[in-house]
Amino acid sequence: MAVWDDLVGQARVEEQLVAAARDADALVTAHAAGEPAPEASRMTHAWFFTGPPGAGRETAARAFAAALQCVSPDRALGGAPGCGFCTGCHTTMIGTHADVTTVRAVGAVVRAEDMRDTVRKSYTAPANGRWQVILVADAERLNEKSANAVLKAVEEPAQRTVWLLCAPSLEDVLPTIRSRCRHLNLSTPSVAAVADVLVRRDGIEPEVAYAAAHATQGHVDRARRLATDERARARRAAVLRVPLRVEDVGGCLKAAQELFDVAEEDAKQVAEELDTKETEDLKAALGVAPGGRLPRGTAGVMKDLEADQKRRKTRTQRDSLDLALTDLAGFYRDVLALQFRSRSDLANADVRDAIERVARASTPERTLRRIEAILACREALDRNVAPLLAMEAMTLALRG
């Protein structure tokens, strides 16, 4: 299974990355022989992946990183980079390759201290791979200090280091950074393409796969989760009930509380899956026996981990709320489609009765105001307004 198989509906991007990975081999060979770099190479030291949520920005970046580190014997015979089976591909895809570093936001931002450490590493030679690869998964969350650290690294790159930045749009990073990167824009994959990959890769029944792909409008990860996770389906069902529950003030407040509780539960599940493992791994690295005490002088390290985990939980809760708001906006988009007698398919066809009921009871102008209220709620969450307060303001606006 090639590393490109998870890159859904992005044939043009895949073609460019495969070509660049082939040229990267020529650069490595020339460097080893002390020769000048080949002219007109399609490989460069910094790449910027943009695209809407679900398009696969990080998936494309990680597949490219794996292709750069691919050590398949077939490469010598002209095989495509990114076989998916060799040590270089496998360790890159699961996140354990020594020369592939992934940087993510801790809480709301990518911290400057984390980025400075990464920049220092970017100037070291690869330990056992072909390239030193730095993948910044949340480039839109770079603050002023961390962005300046990245800028310095891409202005004066090390010879065998590649930076891969991922963000929703070009405007999400400094112009001085993006001007030094090669830009690749990913588009939202079609519903049919997402359904096809769910059937082929995950063994999901075609009807279920198509329904999940349609409900998420081409978001691969959300579609996979919706098709395979009962909790995700229950969360979506709770969100799509909100428009029928905001007929009075009490119903609005209850609906807001339910949305908040769903997000809290999502954050708790992520914490249970990751926090325990991280804590145990850190204790093992510090030499703590099972049930034993921390060595003297290491309590601060554990406190730092706990603080990072708390920030991650907050971000996960905000991301879950944002997902709920996206589903809610999709419901009203379907309402608007019915009110304008559009021939486009409904994204939430499984709750068509509820959509028709809301459409009959309101006007297009009122529906647009409700969508604006949802967008205002998302903006409030970005400004760190208390989540429950923001949700209550939104549900009251949906009633009005």
Side-chain angles (χ1 to χ4, degrees):
M1 182 180 65
V3 298
W4 311 104
D5 285 358
D6 277 341
L7 194 56
V8 181
Q10 311 294 343
R12 177 185 55 81
V13 170
E14 179 182 338
E15 180 181 347
Q16 294 181 62
L17 294 178
V18 170
R22 289 187 186 277
D23 285 357
D25 288 345
L27 290 175
V28 171
T29 302
H31 174 71
E35 300 174 353
E39 296 182 0
S41 174
R42 288 164 291 189
M43 181 60 187
T44 188
H45 71 285
W47 297 76
F48 187 23
F49 297 82
T50 63
R57 299 185 300 265
E58 185 179 346
T59 300
R62 188 165 297 280
F64 185 42
L68 293 175
Q69 306 290 14
C70 182
V71 292
S72 169
D74 292 341
R75 298 289 299 279
L77 303 175
C83 67
F85 298 101
C86 70
T87 302
C89 287
H90 179 68
T91 54
T92 299
M93 296 305 286
I94 65 174
T96 59
H97 197 293
D99 297 316
V100 179
T101 302
T102 302
V103 182
R104 299 185 186 279
V106 176
V109 298
V110 176
R111 297 183 303 190
E113 55 266 34
D114 292 342
M115 189 51 68
R116 292 193 189 103
D117 290 341
T118 303
V119 169
R120 282 192 288 269
K121 183 179 180 181
S122 76
Y123 285 102
T124 63
N128 51 31
R130 294 168 175 264
W131 296 87
Q132 186 78 258
V133 181
I134 312 298
L135 196 168
V136 184
D138 303 308
E140 74 277 13
R141 295 179 185 266
L142 292 168
N143 60 19
E144 182 179 357
K145 292 182 179 179
S146 55
N148 286 334
V150 172
L151 177 58
K152 178 178 175 58
V154 296
E155 281 182 330
E156 303 172 3
Q159 193 165 28
R160 289 177 58 186
T161 295
V162 182
W163 285 81
L164 310 177
L165 311 181
C166 304
S169 70
L170 283 170
E171 290 70 28
D172 288 321
V173 300
L174 293 175
T176 46
I177 292 178
R178 64 177 185 253
S179 66
R180 290 163 173 80
C181 301
R182 183 165 299 169
H183 176 224
L184 290 178
N185 185 53
L186 285 74
S187 58
T188 300
S190 67
V191 170
V194 174
D196 178 66
V197 78
L198 293 181
V199 173
R200 288 189 294 104
R201 291 293 308 279
D202 300 282
I204 298 169
E205 291 296 323
E207 296 80 7
V208 176
Y210 184 82
H214 207 282
T216 56
Q217 293 294 288
H219 194 302
V220 182
D221 292 336
R222 286 180 55 201
R224 180 177 288 117
R225 184 180 178 192
L226 191 62
T228 59
D229 189 345
E230 181 61 37
R231 293 175 301 188
R233 291 192 288 272
R235 180 202 56 77
R236 175 174 174 269
V239 171
L240 296 183
R241 286 196 298 269
V242 168
L244 301 180
R245 300 178 58 194
V246 291
E247 297 178 352
D248 55 59
V249 173
C252 292
L253 298 181
K254 288 180 181 178
Q257 184 66 57
E258 184 172 339
L259 289 174
F260 178 81
D261 291 344
V262 167
E264 185 78 11
E265 183 62 27
D266 265 4
K268 182 179 178 182
Q269 289 170 4
V270 172
E272 290 175 350
E273 294 170 1
L274 297 178
D275 291 2
T276 301
K277 184 179 184 302
E278 287 180 344
T279 302
E280 293 302 320
D281 287 347
L282 179 58
K283 287 183 177 180
L286 296 174
V288 179
R293 294 184 177 181
L294 291 172
R296 181 174 298 177
T298 62
V301 178
M302 187 61 68
K303 287 184 179 179
D304 288 343
L305 176 62
E306 291 172 352
D308 287 347
Q309 290 173 341
K310 183 178 180 180
R311 282 190 285 266
R312 183 175 61 199
K313 181 179 178 181
T314 299
R315 180 187 170 188
T316 302
Q317 183 190 52
R318 297 294 175 91
D319 288 346
S320 181
L321 285 173
D322 190 70
L323 178 59
L325 295 177
T326 300
D327 287 338
L328 195 57
F331 180 97
Y332 284 111
R333 174 262 183 196
D334 287 344
V335 170
L336 199 62
L338 288 185
Q339 289 173 332
F340 281 118
R341 296 180 176 85
S342 171
R343 295 183 179 180
S344 60
D345 294 336
L346 299 183
N348 302 288
D350 52 328
V351 291
R352 187 182 183 94
D353 289 345
I355 294 170
E356 290 177 343
R357 175 179 168 183
V358 174
R360 288 193 300 268
S362 65
T363 63
E365 292 78 12
R366 189 172 180 183
T367 302
L368 287 172
R369 286 198 296 270
R370 286 168 165 166
I371 294 174
E372 289 171 355
I374 296 170
L375 297 178
C377 183
R378 295 182 71 177
E379 292 173 359
L381 292 175
D382 285 341
R383 297 194 303 269
N384 290 323
V385 173
L388 182 56
L389 182 62
M391 302 305 282
E392 288 175 346
M394 179 198 69
T395 52
L396 289 170
L398 294 181
R399 172 177 177 264

